Amino acid sequence: MNNYNVNKEMIGVALVFITFVFILPTLSRYFTEDCKIRIKRIKKEKCRIKVEKIEHTGTFKLIGTDPETFQHCECSDGNRWWSFYKKEIEPGDYFIKNNGEPYFKIIKKDTIIIHEEKCYSK
């Protein structure tokens, strides 16, 4: 190995170091969503469904019937909030997310589970 190859490797290591230490922390605040903006977006979501099937292809999708109209419907979550709780949702459960509320309910035969999105101070 000659000095030229060693210098190329050191430049590569230096670039990776600079990227991780200086550039990524500076840009990361632009890629993370402000909590209050996320809560506003979540409040606009609406889904009322008796779950028959759950899909996890790209987005988290609930397939079933509307409990009020008894018509087939689908609800999907593109922001991955609902999918954090996918292990709690089973066919036969009711999933209720009303417009204007920062929480959703999973209604089972004997239990109601409520998950609320909150902002915590830093």
Side-chain angles (χ1 to χ4, degrees):
M1 195 180 244
N2 60 30
N3 283 341
Y4 178 72
N5 288 339
V6 171
N7 288 339
K8 279 178 47 178
E9 287 183 26
M10 292 305 293
I11 289 172
V13 169
L15 287 174
V16 170
F17 177 78
I18 290 170
T19 301
F20 281 111
V21 172
F22 297 108
I23 296 173
L24 287 180
T26 303
L27 293 177
S28 67
R29 65 181 170 170
Y30 296 108
F31 297 119
T32 57
E33 184 177 33
D34 179 64
C35 184
K36 290 180 182 178
I37 293 171
R38 186 175 67 247
I39 296 292
K40 281 184 181 179
R41 185 175 36 77
I42 285 171
K43 283 183 174 183
K44 292 179 184 176
E45 295 174 351
K46 180 180 179 182
C47 176
R48 299 175 64 81
I49 190 168
K50 180 177 183 186
V51 179
E52 295 171 3
K53 184 179 174 185
I54 302 167
E55 291 185 359
H56 305 286
T57 54
T59 61
F60 181 71
K61 187 186 292 186
L62 301 173
I63 301 168
T65 56
D66 184 311
E68 295 172 354
T69 65
F70 302 105
Q71 293 185 3
H72 177 79
C73 66
E74 296 180 359
C75 296
S76 62
D77 176 39
N79 65 31
R80 301 179 64 199
W81 179 45
W82 303 348
S83 65
F84 288 130
Y85 307 101
K86 65 186 172 194
K87 292 181 180 178
E88 298 176 6
I89 304 170
E90 299 172 344
D93 294 346
Y94 289 88
F95 181 90
I96 309 295
K97 168 60 182 86
N98 293 316
N99 190 5
E101 297 174 345
Y103 60 88
F104 64 83
K105 300 175 191 173
I106 302 167
I107 303 173
K108 299 180 171 288
K109 288 183 181 183
D110 59 352
T111 308
I112 297 176
I113 302 169
I114 299 174
H115 290 290
E116 183 175 4
E117 185 70 11
K118 297 179 183 179
C119 292
Y120 297 97
S121 59
K122 294 181 180 179

